[in-house]
PDB file of all heavy atoms in Angstrom:
ATOM      1  N   ILE A 886      -5.568  -3.564   7.051  1.00  0.00           N
ATOM      2  CA  ILE A 886      -4.843  -4.614   6.419  1.00  0.00           C
ATOM      3  C   ILE A 886      -3.650  -4.884   7.296  1.00  0.00           C
ATOM      4  O   ILE A 886      -2.937  -4.072   7.581  1.00  0.00           O
ATOM      5  CB  ILE A 886      -4.409  -4.275   4.964  1.00  0.00           C
ATOM      6  CG1 ILE A 886      -5.524  -3.832   4.202  1.00  0.00           C
ATOM      7  CG2 ILE A 886      -3.692  -5.389   4.297  1.00  0.00           C
ATOM      8  CD1 ILE A 886      -5.266  -3.181   2.847  1.00  0.00           C
ATOM      9  N   LYS A 887      -3.384  -6.142   7.674  1.00  0.00           N
ATOM     10  CA  LYS A 887      -2.376  -6.493   8.621  1.00  0.00           C
ATOM     11  C   LYS A 887      -0.952  -6.431   7.962  1.00  0.00           C
ATOM     12  O   LYS A 887      -0.741  -6.447   6.827  1.00  0.00           O
ATOM     13  CB  LYS A 887      -2.606  -7.902   9.251  1.00  0.00           C
ATOM     14  CG  LYS A 887      -2.246  -8.984   8.279  1.00  0.00           C
ATOM     15  CD  LYS A 887      -2.573 -10.406   9.056  1.00  0.00           C
ATOM     16  CE  LYS A 887      -2.232 -11.615   8.187  1.00  0.00           C
ATOM     17  NZ  LYS A 887      -0.776 -11.808   8.071  1.00  0.00           N
ATOM     18  N   ALA A 888      -0.188  -6.079   8.952  1.00  0.00           N
ATOM     19  CA  ALA A 888       1.353  -6.196   8.564  1.00  0.00           C
ATOM     20  C   ALA A 888       1.851  -7.614   8.587  1.00  0.00           C
ATOM     21  O   ALA A 888       1.323  -8.408   9.225  1.00  0.00           O
ATOM     22  CB  ALA A 888       2.260  -5.304   9.481  1.00  0.00           C
ATOM     23  N   PRO A 889       2.835  -7.842   7.711  1.00  0.00           N
ATOM     24  CA  PRO A 889       3.598  -7.131   6.816  1.00  0.00           C
ATOM     25  C   PRO A 889       2.915  -6.973   5.515  1.00  0.00           C
ATOM     26  O   PRO A 889       3.539  -6.216   4.585  1.00  0.00           O
ATOM     27  CB  PRO A 889       4.929  -7.824   6.725  1.00  0.00           C
ATOM     28  CG  PRO A 889       4.575  -9.262   6.839  1.00  0.00           C
ATOM     29  CD  PRO A 889       3.492  -9.432   7.730  1.00  0.00           C
ATOM     30  N   GLU A 890       1.848  -7.596   5.051  1.00  0.00           N
ATOM     31  CA  GLU A 890       1.224  -7.488   3.704  1.00  0.00           C
ATOM     32  C   GLU A 890       0.873  -6.158   3.388  1.00  0.00           C
ATOM     33  O   GLU A 890       1.112  -5.769   2.277  1.00  0.00           O
ATOM     34  CB  GLU A 890       0.024  -8.531   3.768  1.00  0.00           C
ATOM     35  CG  GLU A 890       0.329  -9.859   3.832  1.00  0.00           C
ATOM     36  CD  GLU A 890       0.298 -10.402   5.236  1.00  0.00           C
ATOM     37  OE1 GLU A 890       0.480  -9.583   6.135  1.00  0.00           O
ATOM     38  OE2 GLU A 890       0.277 -11.720   5.299  1.00  0.00           O
ATOM     39  N   CYS A 891       0.602  -5.342   4.371  1.00  0.00           N
ATOM     40  CA  CYS A 891      -0.006  -4.004   4.029  1.00  0.00           C
ATOM     41  C   CYS A 891       1.248  -3.127   3.414  1.00  0.00           C
ATOM     42  O   CYS A 891       1.023  -2.310   2.624  1.00  0.00           O
ATOM     43  CB  CYS A 891      -0.459  -3.313   5.225  1.00  0.00           C
ATOM     44  SG  CYS A 891       0.804  -3.047   6.655  1.00  0.00           S
ATOM     45  N   PHE A 892       2.462  -3.475   3.842  1.00  0.00           N
ATOM     46  CA  PHE A 892       3.570  -2.567   3.339  1.00  0.00           C
ATOM     47  C   PHE A 892       3.699  -2.807   1.804  1.00  0.00           C
ATOM     48  O   PHE A 892       3.863  -1.976   0.939  1.00  0.00           O
ATOM     49  CB  PHE A 892       4.915  -3.041   3.949  1.00  0.00           C
ATOM     50  CG  PHE A 892       5.001  -2.775   5.415  1.00  0.00           C
ATOM     51  CD1 PHE A 892       5.039  -3.784   6.310  1.00  0.00           C
ATOM     52  CD2 PHE A 892       4.628  -1.500   5.993  1.00  0.00           C
ATOM     53  CE1 PHE A 892       5.020  -3.556   7.737  1.00  0.00           C
ATOM     54  CE2 PHE A 892       4.592  -1.241   7.293  1.00  0.00           C
ATOM     55  CZ  PHE A 892       4.797  -2.269   8.179  1.00  0.00           C
ATOM     56  N   GLU A 893       3.859  -4.154   1.401  1.00  0.00           N
ATOM     57  CA  GLU A 893       3.912  -4.578  -0.063  1.00  0.00           C
ATOM     58  C   GLU A 893       2.729  -4.118  -0.830  1.00  0.00           C
ATOM     59  O   GLU A 893       2.854  -3.540  -1.956  1.00  0.00           O
ATOM     60  CB  GLU A 893       4.078  -5.980  -0.215  1.00  0.00           C
ATOM     61  CG  GLU A 893       4.159  -6.385  -1.672  1.00  0.00           C
ATOM     62  CD  GLU A 893       4.267  -7.947  -1.820  1.00  0.00           C
ATOM     63  OE1 GLU A 893       4.317  -8.696  -0.953  1.00  0.00           O
ATOM     64  OE2 GLU A 893       4.319  -8.285  -3.119  1.00  0.00           O
ATOM     65  N   ILE A 894       1.515  -4.214  -0.248  1.00  0.00           N
ATOM     66  CA  ILE A 894       0.347  -3.877  -0.923  1.00  0.00           C
ATOM     67  C   ILE A 894       0.382  -2.380  -1.283  1.00  0.00           C
ATOM     68  O   ILE A 894       0.157  -1.949  -2.376  1.00  0.00           O
ATOM     69  CB  ILE A 894      -0.865  -4.212  -0.201  1.00  0.00           C
ATOM     70  CG1 ILE A 894      -1.210  -5.696  -0.180  1.00  0.00           C
ATOM     71  CG2 ILE A 894      -2.129  -3.290  -0.670  1.00  0.00           C
ATOM     72  CD1 ILE A 894      -2.212  -6.138   0.806  1.00  0.00           C
ATOM     73  N   GLU A 895       0.563  -1.515  -0.277  1.00  0.00           N
ATOM     74  CA  GLU A 895       0.784  -0.068  -0.454  1.00  0.00           C
ATOM     75  C   GLU A 895       1.795   0.270  -1.481  1.00  0.00           C
ATOM     76  O   GLU A 895       1.612   1.137  -2.381  1.00  0.00           O
ATOM     77  CB  GLU A 895       0.880   0.754   0.825  1.00  0.00           C
ATOM     78  CG  GLU A 895       0.717   2.279   0.595  1.00  0.00           C
ATOM     79  CD  GLU A 895       1.159   3.014   1.887  1.00  0.00           C
ATOM     80  OE1 GLU A 895       2.294   2.648   2.389  1.00  0.00           O
ATOM     81  OE2 GLU A 895       0.463   3.961   2.143  1.00  0.00           O
ATOM     82  N   GLU A 896       2.985  -0.168  -1.349  1.00  0.00           N
ATOM     83  CA  GLU A 896       4.072   0.148  -2.102  1.00  0.00           C
ATOM     84  C   GLU A 896       3.826  -0.157  -3.602  1.00  0.00           C
ATOM     85  O   GLU A 896       4.028   0.652  -4.538  1.00  0.00           O
ATOM     86  CB  GLU A 896       5.363  -0.548  -1.712  1.00  0.00           C
ATOM     87  CG  GLU A 896       6.057   0.167  -0.506  1.00  0.00           C
ATOM     88  CD  GLU A 896       6.424   1.564  -0.639  1.00  0.00           C
ATOM     89  OE1 GLU A 896       6.988   1.954  -1.815  1.00  0.00           O
ATOM     90  OE2 GLU A 896       5.978   2.555   0.100  1.00  0.00           O
ATOM     91  N   ARG A 897       3.278  -1.365  -3.841  1.00  0.00           N
ATOM     92  CA  ARG A 897       3.085  -1.764  -5.183  1.00  0.00           C
ATOM     93  C   ARG A 897       1.949  -0.928  -5.793  1.00  0.00           C
ATOM     94  O   ARG A 897       2.071  -0.479  -6.975  1.00  0.00           O
ATOM     95  CB  ARG A 897       2.501  -3.321  -5.188  1.00  0.00           C
ATOM     96  CG  ARG A 897       3.573  -4.300  -4.903  1.00  0.00           C
ATOM     97  CD  ARG A 897       4.216  -4.713  -6.298  1.00  0.00           C
ATOM     98  NE  ARG A 897       3.262  -5.208  -7.246  1.00  0.00           N
ATOM     99  CZ  ARG A 897       2.655  -6.408  -7.227  1.00  0.00           C
ATOM    100  NH1 ARG A 897       3.061  -7.343  -6.270  1.00  0.00           N
ATOM    101  NH2 ARG A 897       1.793  -6.906  -8.116  1.00  0.00           N
ATOM    102  N   LEU A 898       0.811  -0.707  -5.091  1.00  0.00           N
ATOM    103  CA  LEU A 898      -0.275   0.144  -5.641  1.00  0.00           C
ATOM    104  C   LEU A 898       0.198   1.620  -5.865  1.00  0.00           C
ATOM    105  O   LEU A 898      -0.213   2.180  -6.782  1.00  0.00           O
ATOM    106  CB  LEU A 898      -1.397   0.147  -4.695  1.00  0.00           C
ATOM    107  CG  LEU A 898      -2.210  -1.351  -4.601  1.00  0.00           C
ATOM    108  CD1 LEU A 898      -3.272  -1.206  -3.615  1.00  0.00           C
ATOM    109  CD2 LEU A 898      -2.823  -1.585  -5.961  1.00  0.00           C
ATOM    110  N   LYS A 899       0.993   2.170  -4.948  1.00  0.00           N
ATOM    111  CA  LYS A 899       1.582   3.478  -5.164  1.00  0.00           C
ATOM    112  C   LYS A 899       2.309   3.484  -6.557  1.00  0.00           C
ATOM    113  O   LYS A 899       2.331   4.491  -7.214  1.00  0.00           O
ATOM    114  CB  LYS A 899       2.450   3.898  -4.050  1.00  0.00           C
ATOM    115  CG  LYS A 899       1.586   4.338  -2.730  1.00  0.00           C
ATOM    116  CD  LYS A 899       2.533   4.450  -1.575  1.00  0.00           C
ATOM    117  CE  LYS A 899       3.475   5.601  -1.679  1.00  0.00           C
ATOM    118  NZ  LYS A 899       4.290   5.799  -0.390  1.00  0.00           N
ATOM    119  N   GLU A 900       3.248   2.454  -6.658  1.00  0.00           N
ATOM    120  CA  GLU A 900       4.040   2.460  -7.981  1.00  0.00           C
ATOM    121  C   GLU A 900       3.145   2.265  -9.183  1.00  0.00           C
ATOM    122  O   GLU A 900       3.513   2.839 -10.279  1.00  0.00           O
ATOM    123  CB  GLU A 900       5.093   1.349  -7.730  1.00  0.00           C
ATOM    124  CG  GLU A 900       6.166   1.653  -6.777  1.00  0.00           C
ATOM    125  CD  GLU A 900       6.969   0.416  -6.619  1.00  0.00           C
ATOM    126  OE1 GLU A 900       6.849  -0.537  -7.322  1.00  0.00           O
ATOM    127  OE2 GLU A 900       7.802   0.389  -5.685  1.00  0.00           O
ATOM    128  N   GLU A 901       2.229   1.414  -9.111  1.00  0.00           N
ATOM    129  CA  GLU A 901       1.444   0.984 -10.349  1.00  0.00           C
ATOM    130  C   GLU A 901       0.045   1.609 -10.705  1.00  0.00           C
ATOM    131  O   GLU A 901      -0.403   1.454 -11.717  1.00  0.00           O
ATOM    132  CB  GLU A 901       1.178  -0.503 -10.143  1.00  0.00           C
ATOM    133  CG  GLU A 901       2.490  -1.375 -10.030  1.00  0.00           C
ATOM    134  CD  GLU A 901       2.238  -2.813  -9.716  1.00  0.00           C
ATOM    135  OE1 GLU A 901       1.126  -3.344 -10.086  1.00  0.00           O
ATOM    136  OE2 GLU A 901       3.093  -3.478  -9.067  1.00  0.00           O
ATOM    137  N   LEU A 902      -0.216   2.538  -9.755  1.00  0.00           N
ATOM    138  CA  LEU A 902      -1.586   3.328 -10.054  1.00  0.00           C
ATOM    139  C   LEU A 902      -1.203   4.801 -10.183  1.00  0.00           C
ATOM    140  O   LEU A 902      -0.376   5.414  -9.542  1.00  0.00           O
ATOM    141  CB  LEU A 902      -2.642   3.156  -8.899  1.00  0.00           C
ATOM    142  CG  LEU A 902      -3.126   1.817  -8.751  1.00  0.00           C
ATOM    143  CD1 LEU A 902      -4.085   1.667  -7.686  1.00  0.00           C
ATOM    144  CD2 LEU A 902      -3.811   1.269 -10.205  1.00  0.00           C
ATOM    145  N   PRO A 903      -1.799   5.475 -11.150  1.00  0.00           N
ATOM    146  CA  PRO A 903      -1.721   6.981 -11.401  1.00  0.00           C
ATOM    147  C   PRO A 903      -2.557   7.924 -10.399  1.00  0.00           C
ATOM    148  O   PRO A 903      -2.658   9.060 -10.821  1.00  0.00           O
ATOM    149  CB  PRO A 903      -1.993   7.007 -12.762  1.00  0.00           C
ATOM    150  CG  PRO A 903      -3.165   6.180 -13.007  1.00  0.00           C
ATOM    151  CD  PRO A 903      -2.822   5.024 -12.107  1.00  0.00           C
ATOM    152  N   ILE A 904      -3.098   7.362  -9.321  1.00  0.00           N
ATOM    153  CA  ILE A 904      -3.920   8.048  -8.400  1.00  0.00           C
ATOM    154  C   ILE A 904      -3.266   7.944  -7.061  1.00  0.00           C
ATOM    155  O   ILE A 904      -2.640   7.032  -6.710  1.00  0.00           O
ATOM    156  CB  ILE A 904      -5.425   7.571  -8.469  1.00  0.00           C
ATOM    157  CG1 ILE A 904      -5.479   6.217  -8.059  1.00  0.00           C
ATOM    158  CG2 ILE A 904      -6.019   8.118  -9.763  1.00  0.00           C
ATOM    159  CD1 ILE A 904      -6.888   5.665  -7.988  1.00  0.00           C
ATOM    160  N   PRO A 905      -3.639   8.831  -6.102  1.00  0.00           N
ATOM    161  CA  PRO A 905      -3.089   8.724  -4.748  1.00  0.00           C
ATOM    162  C   PRO A 905      -3.597   7.518  -3.954  1.00  0.00           C
ATOM    163  O   PRO A 905      -4.848   7.285  -3.992  1.00  0.00           O
ATOM    164  CB  PRO A 905      -3.581  10.059  -4.067  1.00  0.00           C
ATOM    165  CG  PRO A 905      -4.621  10.574  -4.990  1.00  0.00           C
ATOM    166  CD  PRO A 905      -4.398  10.164  -6.214  1.00  0.00           C
ATOM    167  N   VAL A 906      -2.689   6.816  -3.333  1.00  0.00           N
ATOM    168  CA  VAL A 906      -2.973   5.674  -2.535  1.00  0.00           C
ATOM    169  C   VAL A 906      -2.405   5.827  -1.151  1.00  0.00           C
ATOM    170  O   VAL A 906      -1.130   6.315  -1.076  1.00  0.00           O
ATOM    171  CB  VAL A 906      -2.296   4.350  -3.126  1.00  0.00           C
ATOM    172  CG1 VAL A 906      -2.572   3.225  -2.357  1.00  0.00           C
ATOM    173  CG2 VAL A 906      -3.022   4.244  -4.563  1.00  0.00           C
ATOM    174  N   MET A 907      -3.211   5.599  -0.188  1.00  0.00           N
ATOM    175  CA  MET A 907      -2.511   5.763   1.267  1.00  0.00           C
ATOM    176  C   MET A 907      -3.151   4.753   2.101  1.00  0.00           C
ATOM    177  O   MET A 907      -4.533   4.643   2.223  1.00  0.00           O
ATOM    178  CB  MET A 907      -2.879   7.194   1.818  1.00  0.00           C
ATOM    179  CG  MET A 907      -2.194   7.339   3.207  1.00  0.00           C
ATOM    180  SD  MET A 907      -2.216   9.097   3.701  1.00  0.00           S
ATOM    181  CE  MET A 907      -3.695   9.119   4.607  1.00  0.00           C
ATOM    182  N   HIS A 908      -2.343   4.012   2.932  1.00  0.00           N
ATOM    183  CA  HIS A 908      -2.818   3.099   3.975  1.00  0.00           C
ATOM    184  C   HIS A 908      -2.891   4.008   5.244  1.00  0.00           C
ATOM    185  O   HIS A 908      -2.023   4.182   5.834  1.00  0.00           O
ATOM    186  CB  HIS A 908      -1.886   1.947   4.050  1.00  0.00           C
ATOM    187  CG  HIS A 908      -2.333   1.081   5.170  1.00  0.00           C
ATOM    188  ND1 HIS A 908      -1.365   0.202   5.876  1.00  0.00           N
ATOM    189  CD2 HIS A 908      -3.594   0.567   5.523  1.00  0.00           C
ATOM    190  CE1 HIS A 908      -2.140  -0.603   6.690  1.00  0.00           C
ATOM    191  NE2 HIS A 908      -3.372  -0.385   6.479  1.00  0.00           N
ATOM    192  N   ASP A 909      -4.044   4.296   5.615  1.00  0.00           N
ATOM    193  CA  ASP A 909      -4.266   5.236   6.640  1.00  0.00           C
ATOM    194  C   ASP A 909      -3.839   4.842   8.106  1.00  0.00           C
ATOM    195  O   ASP A 909      -3.304   5.600   8.865  1.00  0.00           O
ATOM    196  CB  ASP A 909      -5.706   5.744   6.867  1.00  0.00           C
ATOM    197  CG  ASP A 909      -5.865   6.910   7.771  1.00  0.00           C
ATOM    198  OD1 ASP A 909      -5.130   7.865   7.864  1.00  0.00           O
ATOM    199  OD2 ASP A 909      -6.806   6.767   8.640  1.00  0.00           O
ATOM    200  N   ASP A 910      -3.948   3.474   8.249  1.00  0.00           N
ATOM    201  CA  ASP A 910      -3.474   2.926   9.573  1.00  0.00           C
ATOM    202  C   ASP A 910      -1.947   3.121   9.735  1.00  0.00           C
ATOM    203  O   ASP A 910      -1.579   3.340  10.835  1.00  0.00           O
ATOM    204  CB  ASP A 910      -3.752   1.451   9.554  1.00  0.00           C
ATOM    205  CG  ASP A 910      -5.273   1.037   9.415  1.00  0.00           C
ATOM    206  OD1 ASP A 910      -5.930   1.547  10.245  1.00  0.00           O
ATOM    207  OD2 ASP A 910      -5.581   0.436   8.249  1.00  0.00           O
ATOM    208  N   GLN A 911      -1.300   3.160   8.712  1.00  0.00           N
ATOM    209  CA  GLN A 911       0.243   3.543   8.714  1.00  0.00           C
ATOM    210  C   GLN A 911       0.441   5.068   8.924  1.00  0.00           C
ATOM    211  O   GLN A 911       0.943   5.569   9.962  1.00  0.00           O
ATOM    212  CB  GLN A 911       0.940   3.022   7.503  1.00  0.00           C
ATOM    213  CG  GLN A 911       1.073   1.656   7.228  1.00  0.00           C
ATOM    214  CD  GLN A 911       1.810   1.323   6.056  1.00  0.00           C
ATOM    215  OE1 GLN A 911       3.024   1.796   5.850  1.00  0.00           O
ATOM    216  NE2 GLN A 911       1.375   0.658   5.134  1.00  0.00           N
TER     217      GLN A 911
END
């Protein structure tokens, strides 16, 4: 997922989901 969208996507999903989320490219 391209930057800068990937930063917001990961941060939001980390905050809003109760399971591990990781953007591996980062």
Side-chain angles (χ1 to χ4, degrees):
I886 304 166
K887 74 181 182 73
E890 291 88 346
C891 63
F892 301 120
E893 181 183 354
I894 288 170
E895 188 193 45
E896 280 305 310
R897 286 271 305 279
L898 291 173
K899 283 169 67 176
E900 290 172 8
E901 297 174 27
L902 292 180
I904 56 175
V906 176
M907 187 172 85
H908 183 209
D909 186 49
D910 302 296
Q911 292 183 55

